[in-house]
Amino acid sequence: MGGHREDATDAALLRAVAGGDSAAMAALYDRHAGWLHTRLTRRCDDPEVVREVLQDTFVTVWRSAATHRGEEAGGWLWTIAARRLVDARRVQERAERVEYAAPVPAPSAEDRVLAGLEYGDVGTALDRISPELREVLRATVVDGLTTRETARLLGIPEGTVKTRARRARAELRAALAHVNPSSASFLDPSLLGGTA
């Protein structure tokens, strides 16, 4: 695919990668490694694990590029990276249990908040809103991505990210009021990225 211009689609780059084109792989890496690193860092505070997961992600992409379906690769790449991160944490936890037999540390404040988002009233309310709105909230609020990073991840325009985020906040407040009316009153719009 010689040259691999910046405007080449993810799908075109992945087709070239599937054919063994290392320049296409480099272009894909340059396009996506930054936001993947940022997102992984928000989930893991060990820079070495983040580097290994990022490397494993792109090794997996090299080996399985032919299996990707679709135009944008952001969601597919994040799915691979998230799975690699879970695998890395499991390996770490297993090694710590075997090596130290130490008690599992108490979850961090961030882990408790994320668990509340996943399993508490907010998580239940999140499950009630449409998937395209939920994924925008997860990217912008839970993962802390910018509008631009979210747009690239989800393969949608930045304006669409802003519109969906606004609709998602309104729908989440309504869903939370339905799940637990007392919880909806504490849900300050600033907790969900403001009003815009």
Side-chain angles (χ1 to χ4, degrees), residues 86-125:
V86 168
D87 292 344
R89 284 183 172 166
R90 284 183 185 146
V91 167
Q92 252 184 342
E93 288 170 5
R94 229 177 279 129
E96 287 172 3
R97 275 194 308 261
V98 169
E99 190 174 327
Y100 305 111
V104 177
S108 68
E110 181 182 46
D111 288 340
R112 288 193 304 272
V113 169
L114 289 174
L117 285 174
E118 293 294 326
Y119 304 111
D121 289 341
V122 175
T124 302

Side-chain angles (χ1 to χ4, degrees), residues 82-153:
R83 287 180 183 157
R84 295 297 170 269
L85 183 58
V86 168
D87 292 344
R89 284 183 172 166
R90 284 183 185 146
V91 167
Q92 252 184 342
E93 288 170 5
R94 229 177 279 129
E96 287 172 3
R97 275 194 308 261
V98 169
E99 190 174 327
Y100 305 111
V104 177
S108 68
E110 181 182 46
D111 288 340
R112 288 193 304 272
V113 169
L114 289 174
L117 285 174
E118 293 294 326
Y119 304 111
D121 289 341
V122 175
T124 302
L126 270 172
D127 289 340
R128 291 179 177 226
I129 68 174
S130 64
E132 68 271 4
L133 299 181
R134 185 171 51 242
E135 67 185 4
V136 166
L137 270 185
R138 287 188 192 274
T140 58
V141 176
V142 177
D143 295 325
L145 297 179
T146 65
T147 300
R148 176 173 286 149
E149 291 167 335
T150 300
R152 176 168 272 182
L153 169 68

Side-chain angles (χ1 to χ4, degrees), residues 113 117 122 137 140-142 169 172-173 176 183-195:
V113 169
L117 285 174
V122 175
L137 270 185
T140 58
V141 176
V142 177
R169 287 190 293 275
L172 182 61
R173 279 192 291 274
L176 189 57
S183 294
S185 62
F186 88 88
L187 192 61
D188 179 8
S190 66
L191 295 174
L192 297 177
T195 57

Side-chain angles (χ1 to χ4, degrees), residues 51-106:
R51 278 191 294 276
E52 288 175 15
V53 167
L54 191 62
Q55 180 179 351
D56 289 349
T57 298
F58 281 98
V59 168
T60 300
V61 168
W62 178 257
R63 292 178 180 155
S64 61
T67 65
H68 177 261
R69 300 288 178 257
E71 190 65 24
E72 294 295 325
W76 184 64
L77 286 167
W78 176 245
T79 299
I80 294 169
R83 287 180 183 157
R84 295 297 170 269
L85 183 58
V86 168
D87 292 344
R89 284 183 172 166
R90 284 183 185 146
V91 167
Q92 252 184 342
E93 288 170 5
R94 229 177 279 129
E96 287 172 3
R97 275 194 308 261
V98 169
E99 190 174 327
Y100 305 111
V104 177

